[in-house]
């Protein structure tokens, strides 16, 4: 389903993000691409999804050449990026409808597909609520649903569970496995959670420095290390223990060694029998060991072997709330976040939609006729609410308008789904950066 041969991407003469990469993903499988930051994962995904060009090689996705027929590739794939691609100020239904129109689907087809996806991802009760009211897990399900609206053959998931709590993450795993089993989709995912790759992936590929180092099933990769992994943590860096490292590496009872900072990982047949010998050699060399442990090989041990670093996926914290991402902590719009958060407390902790809250804010603002500092030019002369475009022109006149007021042209409401008056009147309007 995906064939990559000799793929090379350079950002400049000194930076090669992808270096003659070869990879093949079979039809109907879940393939996990793992690698440390800067290894080339995201660049590879961008190339496969036609979002980036490349210098050398050939890339075939769903039977179409990415370089020669990118439109056909886009019609055949769905893509879920790290950051959510849905609009927080639209409802779930509106997001899905918009995505369907972007793929030039007929209205009847879009409505039918929305009902199918709503049942599939259990979004029915929330379909007509604004995405701002969704939990992190629900937003991610809606993200995937929008990527499936046009019946793609290949689905790209870039860090699909990043920022989700453990329960939401495991729930999303079930949906990923479900769409693979029931819909037969080929799925390529990147993740920093090794447990995720271990549970979901049929095969795993480890990329480092722009090249694929190894590809196999999770079980085969773990078995390839053999026996146990003995880890020595020294009080000093590796340079202080070079002699011991050399002797251990050349011992007949140690298969392989890998340094990770001040830790030395030893791959042995039997950890319990090897530890006394290792400690005896360490004592003879005067090495100061702070900690020693051994365990059966994990996918993290495989990752360390091929990249020299650990890929930790133990961050259990949830992602930022939607208003934190939009308002920006401490940014120019942070006061909106504080007002909205305060409204939730006054509402006994019950979630309000942005429209509900802004409506209350409007009612309050109508009773206050005193202009705030810097607001005289931005506020209308009557009680009606300005549109974003009107405010922008009044507050930031440009030579192109030649003195024309905001009423001289047809107002453009932002966001498009809102009704005039949805936004609280204030001198600082939110920046739309998309």
């Amino acid at each position: 389903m995906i064939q990559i041969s000799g793929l090379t991407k350079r950002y400049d003469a000194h930076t090669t993000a992808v270096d003659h990469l070869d990879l093949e993903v079979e039809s109907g499988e879940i393939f996990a691409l793992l690698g440390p930051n800067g290894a080339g994962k995201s660049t590879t995904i961008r190339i496969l999804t036609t979002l980036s060009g490349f210098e050398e090689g050939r890339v075939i996705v769903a039977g179409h050449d990415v370089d020669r027929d990118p439109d056909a590739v886009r019609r055949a794939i769905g893509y879920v990026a790290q950051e959510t691609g849905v609009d927080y100020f639209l409802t779930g239904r509106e997001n899905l409808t918009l995505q369907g129109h972007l793929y030039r689907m007929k209205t009847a087809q879009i409505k039918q597909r929305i009902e199918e996806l709503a049942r599939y991802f259990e979004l029915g009760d929330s379909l007509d609520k604004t995405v701002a009211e969704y939990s992190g897990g629900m937003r991610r399900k809606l993200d995937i649903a929008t990527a499936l609206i046009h019946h793609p053959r290949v689905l790209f998931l870039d860090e699909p569970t990043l920022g989700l709590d453990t329960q939401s993450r495991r729930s999303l795993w079930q949906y990923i496995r479900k769409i693979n089993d029931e819909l037969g989709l080929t799925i390529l995912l990147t993740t920093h959670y090794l447990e995720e790759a271990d549970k979901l992936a049929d095969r795993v590929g480890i990329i480092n420095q722009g090249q694929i180092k190894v590809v196999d099933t999770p079980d085969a990769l773990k078995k390839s290390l053999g026996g146990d992994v003995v880890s020595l943590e020294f009080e000093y860096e590796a340079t202080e223990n070079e002699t011991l490292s050399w002797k251990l590496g050349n011992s007949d009872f140690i298969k392989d060694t890998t340094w990770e900072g001040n830790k030395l990982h030893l791959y042995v047949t039997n950890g319990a029998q090897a530890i006394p010998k290792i400690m005896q050699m360490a004592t003879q060399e005067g090495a100061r060991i702070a900690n020693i442990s051994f365990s059966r090989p994990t996918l993290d041990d495989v990752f360390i072997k091929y990249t020299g670093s650990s890929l930790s996926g133990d961050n259990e914290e949830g992602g930022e709330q939607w208003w934190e991402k939009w308002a920006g902590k401490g940014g120019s719009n942070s006061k909106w976040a504080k007002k909205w958060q305060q409204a939730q407390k006054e509402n006994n902790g019950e979630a309000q939609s942005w429209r509900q809250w802004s409506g209350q804010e409007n009612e309050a603002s109508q009773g206050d006729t005193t202009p705030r500092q810097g607001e005289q030019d931005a506020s209308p002369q009557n009680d009606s609410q300005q549109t974003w475009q009107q405010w922008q022109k009044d507050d930031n006149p440009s030579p192109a308008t030649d003195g024309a007021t905001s009423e001289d042209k047809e107002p453009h409401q932002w966001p498009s789904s809102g009704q005039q008056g949805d936004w609280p009147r204030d001198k600082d309007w939110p920046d739309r950066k998309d």
Side-chain angles (χ1 to χ4, degrees):
M1 187 59 72
I2 299 174
Q3 296 91 33
I4 306 173
S5 56
L7 179 62
T8 301
K9 169 68 176 180
R10 302 184 185 91
Y11 288 111
D12 53 52
H14 306 289
T15 306
T16 300
V18 181
D19 187 9
H20 295 88
L21 184 145
D22 296 314
L23 179 64
E24 184 168 345
V25 178
E26 299 174 1
S27 178
E29 76 171 330
I30 298 180
F31 188 95
L33 187 62
L34 308 178
N37 291 330
K41 309 188 299 294
S42 295
T43 299
T44 301
I45 294 293
R46 285 197 295 269
I47 292 172
L48 292 172
T49 54
T50 76
L51 297 176
S52 177
F54 54 96
E55 281 69 43
E56 300 176 25
R58 191 181 186 203
V59 180
I60 305 295
V61 177
H64 305 289
D65 192 304
V66 168
D67 197 31
R68 297 182 179 181
D69 199 357
D71 287 342
V73 172
R74 295 183 191 114
R75 288 192 293 268
I77 67 172
Y79 175 50
V80 179
Q82 290 185 24
E83 292 294 331
T84 182
V86 296
D87 192 320
Y88 286 96
F89 302 105
L90 300 181
T91 65
R93 188 184 302 276
E94 289 169 335
N95 272 284
L96 289 165
T97 301
L98 173 61
Q99 191 75 359
H101 284 304
L102 291 175
Y103 280 100
R104 301 180 181 178
M105 296 172 64
K106 295 180 180 180
T107 301
Q109 291 178 321
I110 294 174
K111 290 181 178 179
Q112 180 181 355
R113 187 61 172 155
I114 288 175
E115 295 305 317
E116 292 174 357
L117 292 170
R119 288 193 299 269
Y120 202 82
F121 288 98
E122 300 177 337
L123 295 171
D125 294 338
S126 304
L127 201 58
D128 293 307
K129 294 181 180 179
T130 55
V131 176
E133 302 172 71
Y134 284 24
S135 65
M138 286 181 62
R139 286 198 301 270
R140 215 52 175 155
K141 287 195 291 184
L142 179 62
D143 246 334
I144 297 176
T146 58
L148 298 177
I149 190 76
H150 60 297
H151 295 281
R153 298 170 59 193
V154 184
L155 180 63
F156 293 93
L157 301 176
D158 194 2
E159 303 283 353
T161 61
L162 185 65
L164 298 182
D165 58 74
T166 302
Q167 183 177 355
S168 297
R169 188 186 311 154
R170 293 181 183 276
S171 175
L172 197 59
W173 290 354
Q174 295 178 4
Y175 282 100
I176 293 173
R177 175 56 70 183
K178 181 180 178 181
I179 60 179
N180 174 253
D181 291 339
E182 297 182 2
L183 305 181
L185 278 177
T186 302
I187 299 176
L188 191 153
L189 67 88
T190 67
T191 180
H192 274 79
Y193 299 111
L194 289 171
E195 183 187 5
E196 185 166 286
D198 204 353
K199 296 288 185 183
L200 287 177
D202 298 306
R203 289 192 303 152
V204 170
I206 296 178
I207 183 174
N208 194 33
Q209 297 179 344
Q211 297 179 332
I212 296 293
K213 300 300 181 181
V214 65
V215 174
D216 214 328
T217 66
D219 286 341
L221 289 173
K222 289 181 286 187
K223 289 178 181 178
S224 69
L225 299 181
D228 300 321
V229 180
V230 178
S231 299
L232 306 179
E233 183 177 356
F234 296 95
E235 295 182 4
Y236 301 101
E237 294 297 325
T239 54
E240 300 290 329
N241 302 282
E242 289 181 352
T243 303
L244 175 62
S245 177
W246 181 85
K247 287 186 176 181
L248 290 172
N250 286 275
S251 300
D252 56 3
F253 64 95
I254 295 177
K255 298 179 179 180
D256 202 358
T257 64
T258 302
W259 275 102
E260 181 195 3
N262 67 330
K263 291 183 179 180
L264 178 61
H265 302 281
L266 308 171
Y267 305 97
V268 302
T269 302
N270 188 305
Q273 295 178 0
I275 286 178
K277 299 178 183 178
I278 294 170
M279 293 302 296
Q280 182 180 7
M281 295 174 67
T283 302
Q284 292 173 353
E285 295 299 327
R288 300 176 64 179
I289 298 176
N291 187 37
I292 184 170
S293 63
F294 82 94
S295 62
R296 299 293 299 173
T298 65
L299 210 51
D300 194 42
D301 294 313
V302 177
F303 191 87
I304 291 171
K305 177 180 178 180
Y306 287 100
T307 67
S309 62
S310 176
L311 185 61
S312 177
D314 296 329
N315 182 11
E316 301 297 335
E317 297 180 3
E320 287 184 306
Q321 296 296 327
W322 72 270
W323 54 264
E324 291 176 334
K325 291 184 177 181
W326 173 77
K329 299 174 183 177
S332 62
N333 295 318
S334 60
K335 61 182 179 180
W336 293 109
K338 294 176 182 178
K339 289 181 180 180
W340 188 81
Q341 188 180 33
Q342 180 62 32
Q344 309 315 301
K345 294 179 180 179
E346 295 174 357
N347 201 38
N348 297 321
E350 295 182 6
Q352 286 182 295
S353 71
W354 180 267
R355 291 179 181 176
Q356 288 174 328
W357 174 75
S358 63
Q360 293 174 1
E361 183 77 4
N362 283 334
E363 292 175 4
S365 64
Q366 288 175 3
D368 180 12
T369 57
T370 305
R372 279 167 275 188
Q373 184 179 2
E375 192 182 20
Q376 288 84 352
D377 294 335
S379 300
Q381 298 302 316
N382 53 37
D383 288 337
S384 63
Q385 179 67 19
Q386 279 187 305
T387 65
W388 174 81
Q389 187 186 57
Q390 287 173 335
W391 173 84
Q392 185 188 49
K393 289 182 177 178
D394 288 345
D395 199 54
N396 302 286
S398 62
T401 61
D402 195 23
T405 64
S406 59
E407 289 78 12
D408 292 334
K409 293 187 177 182
E410 181 181 354
H412 174 72
Q413 181 66 37
W414 178 79
S416 59
S417 66
Q419 299 298 321
Q420 194 164 356
D422 277 354
W423 289 101
R425 185 165 66 248
D426 200 285
K427 65 186 181 66
D428 292 327
W429 285 63
D431 295 328
R432 188 169 176 90
K433 299 181 180 179
D434 48 351

